Amino acid sequence: MGNLQLQDFVAGLVGGVASVVVGHPLDTVKTRLQAGQGYGNTLNCFLTVYRNESATGFFKGMSFPMATTGIYSSVVFGVFSGTQRFLSQLRHGDPAVTPSLTDMTVASSVAGFVSVAIGTPVDLVKIRLQMQTQPYSKGNVKLKPTAPGSPVYQGPIHCFWTILQKEGIAGIYRGTVAMLLRDVPGYCVYFIPYAVFCDWATPDGCVSPSPFSVWLAGGVAGAISWGLCTPMDVVKSRLQADGVYLNQYKGTLDCILQSYQNEGLKVFFRGLTVNTVRGFPSSAAMFLGYELSLKAMKRDQTETNP
């Protein structure tokens, strides 16, 4: 059991790194659309970022998630798989029994809760680094974006410590409620569609899905999950971007109400297109990295211990 859990954690780490490499440029565009000003639609946002910041603008804040998302995904996949095995053992006396829909829902929810504890500070730093070049204006307060070479935060570690010193632990976990409301249901509509589509794309008689089946099922699951989670993702992005200059929102509900009053219902669907489009390749890379590395580890184990 211990070896199986270790393999899940290692495979999750590989999948997490793969997803960051593939998905971060689109994630930057998504964050700018949701929390920034003056970008209009997705295409205009792409062009604006490229014109103002060149190609490097799409990779702002990438080093921190690259270093941490592997661990984050490792925990999520490890907890999800471990919870499924625990429930199968509890219900059927055999951890290898195929989990029921209820078991997958419970395991997904548990993974969502655990992910927030790790993911909130990671997302906060990533978003602050992505947003610190943006202008701020509210009422009579107008602050220009920081000049190139003199940003608010000098890097992910400096960003983390600055927030911790100024706002304490509560500041590091800003947006936790919104992230819980996004990730707990979000992982349910992530892992369950993946299992369903993977099963559908695997021909009868095959013991395990092909790499193409994994890629397709992972991509579809990611597009569905990110598409459905966009409204709460907007709220989370705004809460976490808030604070580069001044704090505008008092909490999740206040952010929802202010956003709605100022921009109407459509604000909660900002970044829907890029979220859904980004969800496919990043999740396809995530699941492909996970499944292929898991298969390789199991094959090595079989060869070592025939």
Side-chain angles (χ1 to χ4, degrees):
M1 176 70 78
N3 197 38
L4 284 173
Q5 287 177 337
L6 178 62
Q7 288 177 351
D8 283 321
F9 280 99
V10 173
L13 189 147
V14 174
V17 170
S19 72
V20 172
V21 172
V22 172
H24 192 80
L26 284 170
D27 182 69
T28 297
V29 173
K30 180 266 295 184
T31 301
R32 296 286 181 89
L33 279 169
Q34 291 177 342
Q37 297 175 358
Y39 286 110
N41 56 34
T42 302
L43 179 60
N44 187 56
C45 184
F46 263 108
L47 296 173
T48 303
V49 172
Y50 183 75
R51 264 198 312 267
N52 295 343
E53 304 167 59
S54 77
T56 58
F58 296 105
F59 295 93
K60 284 229 166 74
M62 183 173 170
S63 60
F64 193 65
M66 176 65 80
T68 54
T69 298
I71 299 169
Y72 170 80
S73 300
S74 171
V75 172
V76 168
F77 276 87
V79 168
F80 174 73
S81 300
T83 304
Q84 281 194 143
R85 282 195 293 270
F86 171 76
L87 292 172
S88 294
Q89 176 72 47
L90 200 66
R91 292 173 185 271
H92 311 288
D94 182 2
V97 171
T98 303
S100 65
L101 182 62
T102 303
D103 291 348
M104 281 196 287
T105 303
V106 172
S108 299
S109 300
V110 172
F113 271 104
V114 173
S115 75
V116 171
I118 303 169
T120 302
V122 173
D123 266 20
L124 177 72
V125 171
K126 172 178 68 70
I127 284 175
R128 290 287 177 91
L129 291 172
Q130 287 172 326
M131 293 302 297
Q132 67 174 338
T133 58
Q134 303 309 291
Y136 178 93
S137 64
K138 182 177 182 250
N140 295 323
V141 180
K142 288 196 176 182
L143 296 172
K144 293 181 180 179
T146 52
S150 59
V152 177
Y153 308 116
Q154 294 164 14
I157 304 301
H158 179 254
C159 179
F160 182 88
W161 283 114
T162 301
I163 297 168
L164 190 63
Q165 288 169 351
K166 288 185 177 179
E167 304 170 53
I169 296 295
I172 289 297
Y173 279 90
R174 185 170 178 80
T176 296
V177 174
M179 199 158 177
L180 277 170
L181 292 172
R182 185 196 74 172
D183 282 5
V184 173
Y187 275 114
C188 289
V189 291
Y190 186 61
F191 284 116
I192 294 172
Y194 170 72
V196 171
F197 280 102
C198 219
D199 184 60
W200 172 78
T202 304
D204 293 336
C206 289
V207 179
S208 60
S210 67
F212 176 75
S213 297
V214 169
W215 177 84
L216 180 63
V220 170
I224 291 171
S225 176
W226 276 108
L228 291 175
C229 292
T230 293
M232 198 48 62
D233 189 47
V234 171
V235 176
K236 183 199 75 73
S237 292
R238 290 189 157 211
L239 276 169
Q240 293 186 323
D242 186 38
V244 173
Y245 300 110
L246 297 171
N247 287 326
Q248 180 180 349
Y249 307 116
K250 296 174 185 175
T252 302
L253 184 59
D254 183 50
C255 180
I256 293 170
L257 293 173
Q258 281 198 50
S259 298
Y260 177 72
Q261 287 167 357
N262 295 334
E263 299 169 68
L265 194 62
K266 69 180 185 298
V267 70
F268 300 108
F269 298 94
R270 268 197 190 180
L272 175 63
T273 302
V274 73
N275 245 354
T276 306
V277 170
R278 165 183 162 268
F280 192 102
S282 63
S283 295
M286 171 83 80
F287 277 105
L288 195 59
Y290 173 78
E291 296 286 4
L292 290 180
S293 55
L294 198 61
K295 189 179 289 186
M297 283 185 287
K298 287 178 178 175
R299 186 172 59 245
D300 287 345
Q301 186 182 5
T302 303
E303 290 172 356
T304 307
N305 303 304

